Amino acid sequence: MHLDGSCQCGAVQFSLESDSPYPYMHCHCSICRKTGGSGGYGINLGGDAHTLRVAGQQHVAHFHAVIREPGQRPKRSKGYRHFCKLCGSPLWMWDPRWPDLVHPYAGAIDTPLPRPPDVVEAGLDYVAPWVDVPRGKGHRHVGTWPHESLREWHARHDLLK
Ligand SMILES: [Zn+2]
Ligand SMILES: [Zn+2]
């Protein structure tokens, strides 16, 4: 599926081809909450890094999040989290360990995305107490992250494009 995206101020426009465009995973971890400025969700999609086209690249910056886990020293994430340095909108994540993949933030995508048939509420060990986490049928609760990858979830639902 072809996806078009942009930042809030419009300085950055981008597009890519995505084989896993269903925004099914709501991540409530503190990295997504703080860097996305949201009450818990950074939703990532799966796309082909070689198809990523960017206009306004000079306005794009990135950072490496700090991962804090109980009993472990804080460590720097290997992922490059890209954002617009003029307005701060999160744009996409890229990780050199999986260089063929790019993960745009669903919130930055302007193309209408398909609604997922079920949703994983992930990172609940780190959820803020004020977040009203959706529950009930179609919402699976996970303390950290599911073992199933983005691709595997899409394949299991026969939704890989
Ligand atoms: Zn911007
Ligand atoms: Zn997260």
Side-chain angles (χ1 to χ4, degrees), residues 67-152:
I67 300 172
R68 296 183 176 86
E69 281 172 349
Q72 290 181 33
R73 278 197 195 178
K75 58 175 187 266
R76 194 168 163 268
S77 163
K78 291 189 171 32
Y80 287 62
R81 287 174 160 80
H82 292 81
F83 64 97
C84 171
K85 58 189 177 189
L86 300 183
C87 71
S89 302
L91 299 171
W92 63 83
M93 156 122 119
W94 177 81
D95 191 312
R97 290 170 292 180
W98 300 282
D100 295 338
L101 301 176
V102 64
H103 299 292
Y105 288 90
I109 298 298
D110 299 312
T111 305
L113 294 170
R115 275 183 80 99
D118 58 63
V119 169
V120 175
E121 305 293 340
L124 293 176
D125 288 354
Y126 308 96
V127 69
W130 48 267
V131 176
D132 186 13
V133 181
R135 60 187 72 246
K137 199 172 180 303
H139 292 274
R140 197 173 129 220
H141 286 200
V142 181
T144 54
W145 293 275
H147 295 295
E148 189 176 50
S149 72
L150 264 169
R151 265 191 83 83
E152 288 164 349

Side-chain angles (χ1 to χ4, degrees), residues 1-7 12-18 45 51-53 91 104-113:
M1 182 177 181
H2 180 84
L3 301 180
D4 289 310
S6 60
C7 68
V12 182
Q13 313 279 330
F14 65 98
S15 69
L16 71 150
E17 297 304 318
S18 169
L45 309 171
T51 65
L52 181 65
R53 301 284 174 269
L91 299 171
Y105 288 90
I109 298 298
D110 299 312
T111 305
L113 294 170

